[in-house]
Amino acid sequence: MTLYRTSVVIAPVVIVILLASTLAGIDRLAFRDVSHFYLPLYDYVAARTSQSWLPLWNPLDQTGMPLIGETTTAVLYPIRYLVFALPLPSEVALGWYVALHLILASFTSRWAALRSGASPMAATLAGVIYPLSGGVFFLHTNPPYLVGASWLPLVVAALVSRESMSARNRCLVAAPAMAMMILGGDPQSALHAMLIATAVYAARLRHPDTSGTRRMIAISLIAAPFVAALLTAPQLAASLSWSSQSARVISQDTQPWHEPPALGTQRRDVFQFSLPPWHAASLLTPNAWGRLFPEYQRISVMMPGDGRIWTPSIYLGLLAALAITGRMLRRELDVWVSIAIASFLLSLGHFGVVWLLQQMPAFLPNVDSAIGGPYWFLYRFLPGYDSFRYPVKWLPFFALAISVTTSLWIDSAKWPTIKTTCVIVAVLLIACLAAGTILCSLAKQPTSYNDVFWGPLDLKGGLKNLWWSAGHSLIALIVVGLTLRALCRQRRPPIFVLLIIITGIDLGFSDHQWIARVSRSDERTLLSHYRQEPLRTTSTWLRVRRHTGWPSAWRQTSNRSRLLEVAASERLAWFGRWHLADRQAVLNNMTSIQGQQIALFWQACERVTADQSDDQSTRYWQSVRRWLSINSVVIARSSAKQAMDASLVDVTRRTENDDAPRFRFHSKWLLNDNLDLDAFAEFLQAMDQAGGNPDPIIHSRDQALVQESLQTKAEYRITPISDDEVNIETDGGGVLSRPVLQDGHWRAEIRPADSQQWEAARVHRISFLKQGIMLSPGNWHVRFVYRPWWLPASLMIAIVSWLSFGWVAIRCLRIM
């Protein structure tokens, strides 16, 4: 029993060791979205939730957007709320947030293996392999998808297991886990889990069912997502409302479906981060293709079509490699092997059947390479699936399936098969090493492979990484093989524990090289040497970049401290969402789901400025700033500033003296309900000619508004009270506007200055990115309130659902 308990904590111990410096507050995670996107975002959300129990609107991104509607904000996710409510710096809280979900993934994957028939000790192997596999562990750089991966095993195992579980118990496990995935910001993985479970159920219809399991699964397939929807009603309502207005609903691709997608189209974006087939080599050795950072040694970039990298490796350990090979040798195709194959093929994305045919010279050159692939079929024929993106989001399913398969294989494998498998894996590993060596030796030093952050490609370094990785794998193969031999002779718990420890060390050694961290004290010291002007909290900023916006020296050189330079520069330049950490409003920042109107705005700007001279473009952007009441600019240049022997981005923040009032009153306006690109471009041209103060467009079909706009110019006086409240005195009717997006949920209340009786006023969408109300002559007090119509009903549904679910769960525990 002591050994059994010890084996369960091996994976959590490895995870804590790997993230120890981050958990202690010495370092912070500093690569990709976890650094420049989710760290400042969750810091901002934590501040908002400490001030208001349910913050709904985010005024600091673009011209405003729903806070809950952008699903990855995880406003309603309990674990995010609890972790970031602790008295910890946000950098440390985020480290604990990542660690807790990796540990959760360990326990849930172990539970999935147990439900699939693995012995307790073998199931513990799944609890080590899954969270430490490359496809899951590297999700620490993208926390919402790590949240989805951590709850995923509960949903899949509960809905596909043949174990005798009642429909009620299956739903009690799957429904809350699915709800946590949705609340944590990953509804796509919840949908994927349902697709996998439904496909498995459909495949089983061919076989007779004498135990009644199939009926229980069918009930749970219907009940689990229904209950999860009730539990997450406010989040789903907000997400559906905002998604219906997102840029993903814009039909940008006018090409025939069989042609390759053009740059900038939704179809091309959907298939970004497809897993190249040659990355399967990292199943044998963790570093088959070299390192990406802090020095650029990614030799796979020389392969045509390698594309953008989601995870550096999909390595699951040598034990998993042996299990995959062993199952293939015995031609065993159970449900988990089928899920592994399906999810791997889905993760290939645009590497479809046509891509395979295109490898023959001059064959099908002008045809979309994705055609015929599993992901392409989902994109083309599953309603609504085209609003999702990134095929590699299927990799956690592959990792889970292989983890469970490995635990089942351990329980049944015999030494003769293991010995043969070890030989085959050794041969494949040597072949992989030889292929990588030949690739590097045939290639000339490619100057075109310079990375904007990490510098020129280092072929020698990449090859050296490959050799070290192969050596690690060969040692691991020998040690794992000898341990398996001892295990086959005598299945004793100490040998099982030894195998679990070896697997944890194997994967921990692999994962260690992929954790990008910077010292918090070094970053603070570096930033303190970069002098900047104090920020005006009332400013709204336009972020501008010159060329790439990053020091050109980065592309030409590389060094071991580049990660610190990049992390500090991203913070300085407000790259991603770093402006939220300074509580500043920025128009052109990153978001998970971009609004349709803001996407149209940037497309229209490109059209308007395409043929403009530098002077005309400068004048145009000055007009845009006046129109949107933007009085400050932050400029990131490709030059570099030196601070403590580090090259940082050259950032200038400038506040203009232009008159940019937040509230404006217009006596004349236009009426147009058309929200397409042509109409926006035409409006921006008129805006430029009017110097940033054009007649507004009211997006309405109410023709009565046209007649009201024929009045003469009115005299008025505006006295702002706050961002959402204003006094206005006018002798004529008109439109009171402000630069805040109307997503359909803003309401306005008005009252005469000498009255306390508020009246409701309709808030119109004004000039694409603004909102406003109609006012008659008089002295008015106006306030704008964000009040979604779905909020009261969805909150009530969720509260009642959680109480009912808790009552049922408690009753079930008492019966058990």
Side-chain angles (χ1 to χ4, degrees):
M1 181 61 70
T2 302
L3 286 173
Y4 172 72
R5 291 175 177 173
T6 302
S7 67
V8 173
V9 301
I10 289 174
V13 167
V14 173
I15 291 167
V16 169
I17 291 174
L18 288 172
L19 298 173
S21 63
T22 303
L23 302 181
I26 299 172
D27 299 326
R28 74 168 179 89
L29 299 173
F31 184 66
R32 281 193 180 166
D33 290 3
V34 73
S35 175
H36 60 248
F37 196 95
Y38 290 106
L39 175 55
L41 175 61
Y42 287 170
D43 173 72
Y44 174 65
V45 172
R48 292 291 306 276
T49 52
S50 68
Q51 299 165 359
S52 171
W53 75 278
L54 188 61
L56 298 172
W57 186 256
N58 173 11
L60 301 185
D61 285 333
Q62 301 169 3
T63 58
M65 61 187 298
L67 188 62
I68 297 180
E70 191 186 9
T71 315
T72 55
T73 53
V75 174
L76 300 176
Y77 184 48
I79 296 181
R80 184 216 56 79
Y81 185 90
L82 293 174
V83 171
F84 281 85
L86 296 173
L88 296 172
S90 294
E91 296 94 334
V92 182
L94 188 58
W96 280 101
Y97 187 74
V98 165
L100 287 174
H101 282 95
L102 286 169
I103 294 171
L104 176 62
S106 173
F107 288 114
T108 57
S109 56
R110 183 180 179 278
W111 184 88
L114 285 172
R115 296 287 77 77
S116 302
S119 66
M121 296 296 284
T124 303
L125 277 169
V128 174
I129 295 172
Y130 179 68
L132 296 176
S133 64
V136 174
F137 185 83
F138 200 69
L139 289 178
H140 73 267
T141 64
N142 220 322
Y145 306 128
L146 177 60
V147 171
S150 66
W151 293 101
L152 172 66
L154 297 182
V155 180
V156 176
L159 297 180
V160 306
S161 173
R162 282 187 178 273
E163 189 184 42
S164 180
M165 291 178 64
S166 66
R168 180 191 60 191
N169 289 344
R170 291 177 187 272
C171 186
L172 284 174
V173 174
M178 197 178 300
M180 292 298 104
M181 296 168 75
I182 295 170
L183 295 176
D186 191 14
Q188 184 172 349
S189 289
L191 173 63
H192 286 173
M194 288 305 304
L195 291 177
I196 285 289
T198 303
V200 170
Y201 176 78
R204 287 173 173 169
L205 292 177
R206 300 177 300 170
H207 307 290
D209 179 34
T210 57
S211 63
T213 303
R214 197 162 65 202
R215 177 173 171 271
M216 296 300 176
I217 294 177
I219 295 173
S220 60
L221 282 174
I222 298 172
F226 178 73
V227 173
L230 294 178
L231 296 174
T232 59
Q235 181 65 74
L236 284 179
S239 299
L240 291 172
S241 173
W242 181 237
S243 295
S244 66
Q245 305 174 56
S246 73
R248 300 181 189 181
V249 304
I250 305 174
S251 179
Q252 299 172 315
D253 193 359
T254 58
Q255 299 173 281
W257 64 271
H258 57 83
E259 292 185 0
L263 287 172
T265 60
Q266 174 72 4
R267 180 156 58 103
R268 186 179 180 89
D269 190 45
V270 162
F271 285 89
Q272 285 291 311
F273 293 110
S274 295
L275 180 72
W278 47 89
H279 281 240
S282 60
L283 291 173
L284 299 172
T285 187
N287 206 349
W289 297 106
R291 300 187 64 177
L292 178 61
F293 58 83
E295 295 173 299
Y296 196 40
Q297 299 168 347
R298 190 73 182 173
I299 58 178
S300 66
V301 73
M302 297 184 295
M303 301 287 288
D306 191 64
R308 301 170 69 185
I309 301 299
W310 180 265
T311 177
S313 175
I314 58 173
Y315 186 64
L316 297 106
L318 255 297
L319 182 62
L322 291 173
I324 299 168
T325 308
R327 297 299 291 269
M328 294 298 180
L329 284 177
R330 296 170 61 178
R331 299 181 182 179
E332 296 175 334
L333 189 66
D334 62 6
V335 60
W336 289 106
V337 174
S338 301
I339 292 174
I341 294 172
S343 54
F344 182 81
L345 293 176
L346 282 161
S347 68
L348 296 179
H350 73 78
F351 295 96
V353 174
V354 169
W355 175 85
L356 199 60
L357 296 174
Q358 286 174 338
Q359 303 317 297
M360 294 183 287
F363 192 76
L364 301 175
N366 297 316
V367 179
D368 186 3
S369 62
I371 294 176
Y375 196 87
W376 177 83
F377 277 101
L378 287 180
Y379 172 77
R380 287 288 300 173
F381 301 112
L382 184 64
Y385 196 79
D386 56 352
S387 63
F388 293 112
R389 55 183 180 174
Y390 304 161
V392 284
K393 290 181 182 179
W394 281 97
L395 283 178
F397 291 83
F398 174 72
L400 174 63
I402 295 300
S403 302
V404 175
T405 295
T406 302
S407 63
L408 296 174
W409 179 76
I410 286 294
D411 279 337
S412 60
K414 305 299 181 183
W415 173 243
T417 304
I418 293 175
K419 183 168 61 174
T420 304
T421 303
C422 288
V423 173
I424 293 174
V425 169
V427 171
L428 290 174
L429 182 58
I430 294 172
C432 175
L433 178 60
T437 303
I438 293 172
L439 175 66
C440 291
S441 62
L442 292 179
K444 299 178 180 179
Q445 181 64 38
T447 56
S448 59
Y449 293 129
N450 292 24
D451 186 84
V452 68
F453 291 117
W454 316 116
L457 177 63
D458 179 9
L459 279 176
K460 290 183 179 180
L463 182 59
K464 183 179 179 180
N465 282 327
L466 173 58
W467 277 85
W468 274 106
S469 180
H472 156 81
S473 297
L474 286 172
I475 294 172
L477 180 61
I478 294 171
V479 175
V480 169
L482 292 174
T483 308
L484 287 175
R485 182 182 180 183
L487 186 64
C488 290
R489 288 179 174 178
Q490 191 174 10
R491 290 187 173 270
R492 297 175 56 198
I495 303 177
F496 251 121
V497 172
L498 179 61
L499 184 61
I500 294 169
I501 293 174
I502 291 170
T503 303
I505 294 173
D506 178 17
L507 287 165
F509 183 84
S510 167
D511 290 333
H512 176 73
Q513 63 185 315
W514 305 124
I515 306 176
R517 289 169 290 207
V518 297
S519 167
R520 294 177 62 213
S521 61
D522 287 350
E523 185 181 30
R524 284 195 299 267
T525 303
L526 189 60
L527 293 174
S528 67
H529 284 74
Y530 195 105
R531 302 177 64 180
Q532 296 187 77
E533 295 296 325
L535 296 173
R536 286 176 49 182
T537 57
T538 58
S539 293
T540 301
W541 299 79
L542 180 68
R543 185 177 181 275
V544 180
R545 69 180 186 184
R546 298 288 187 249
H547 304 291
T548 65
W550 305 112
S552 55
W554 287 359
R555 182 182 288 273
Q556 306 302 325
T557 61
S558 63
N559 62 66
R560 301 292 299 177
S561 63
R562 181 59 49 78
L563 188 62
L564 176 61
E565 296 176 346
V566 171
S569 293
E570 287 178 340
R571 190 188 288 254
L572 282 171
W574 286 346
F575 181 72
R577 298 187 100 157
W578 271 118
H579 65 285
L580 294 178
D582 291 325
R583 307 296 188 262
Q584 298 294 305
V586 172
L587 173 67
N588 48 337
N589 64 287
M590 288 184 179
T591 57
S592 297
I593 303 178
Q594 189 179 47
Q596 180 181 6
Q597 277 69 50
I598 202 73
L600 284 173
F601 167 71
W602 290 113
Q603 293 176 41
C605 285
E606 289 181 7
R607 178 181 295 187
V608 172
T609 60
D611 299 323
Q612 288 184 345
S613 64
D614 291 343
D615 291 341
Q616 291 173 327
S617 180
T618 300
R619 187 193 65 185
Y620 170 79
W621 287 110
Q622 289 175 344
S623 299
V624 168
R625 289 194 291 107
R626 293 191 189 100
W627 168 55
L628 294 176
S629 304
I630 297 173
N631 51 9
S632 301
V633 180
V634 54
I635 305 172
R637 297 181 176 86
S638 293
S639 54
K641 284 194 174 182
Q642 297 298 316
M644 296 180 61
D645 298 324
S647 297
L648 300 183
V649 65
D650 184 2
V651 177
T652 300
R653 292 188 174 93
R654 184 174 69 240
T655 299
E656 304 290 348
N657 295 321
D658 296 342
D659 182 21
R662 183 170 179 81
F663 292 94
R664 296 186 183 183
F665 190 74
H666 308 269
S667 300
K668 295 184 179 181
W669 59 88
L670 305 173
L671 191 69
N672 187 353
D673 196 41
N674 193 355
L675 293 174
D676 63 15
L677 179 59
D678 293 334
F680 209 154
E682 183 179 344
F683 169 78
L684 290 180
Q685 289 174 340
M687 180 276 303
D688 188 17
Q689 295 173 1
N693 192 26
D695 291 335
I697 298 176
I698 301 179
H699 301 287
S700 172
R701 297 179 180 177
D702 187 356
Q703 294 298 320
L705 296 175
V706 176
Q707 300 299 322
E708 296 181 18
S709 69
L710 299 179
Q711 60 190 300
T712 58
K713 184 176 181 179
E715 297 293 331
Y716 62 90
R717 184 175 63 192
I718 295 177
T719 307
I721 300 174
S722 69
D723 287 347
D724 298 325
E725 200 166 354
V726 64
N727 281 326
I728 176 170
E729 184 177 357
T730 174
D731 61 2
V735 178
L736 176 68
S737 71
R738 65 177 190 151
V740 176
L741 179 72
Q742 166 62 318
D743 68 335
H745 301 306
W746 279 98
R747 308 287 185 262
E749 297 173 338
I750 64 174
R751 65 175 176 82
D754 57 356
S755 172
Q756 298 299 317
Q757 187 67 34
W758 292 96
E759 300 178 5
R762 180 183 176 186
V763 179
H764 297 276
R765 179 175 290 168
I766 305 290
S767 303
F768 299 92
L769 297 180
K770 293 187 174 186
Q771 61 177 239
I773 62 171
M774 304 296 302
L775 284 176
S776 56
N779 190 355
W780 299 99
H781 189 174
V782 182
R783 66 185 181 190
F784 293 85
V785 182
Y786 191 71
R787 193 177 296 151
W789 62 267
W790 44 260
L791 184 61
S794 63
L795 278 176
M796 184 60 65
I797 291 172
I799 292 171
V800 172
S801 299
W802 278 107
L803 292 174
S804 302
F805 184 86
W807 179 75
V808 172
I810 292 172
R811 286 203 59 185
C812 291
L813 289 174
R814 286 180 176 177
I815 294 172
M816 295 171 62

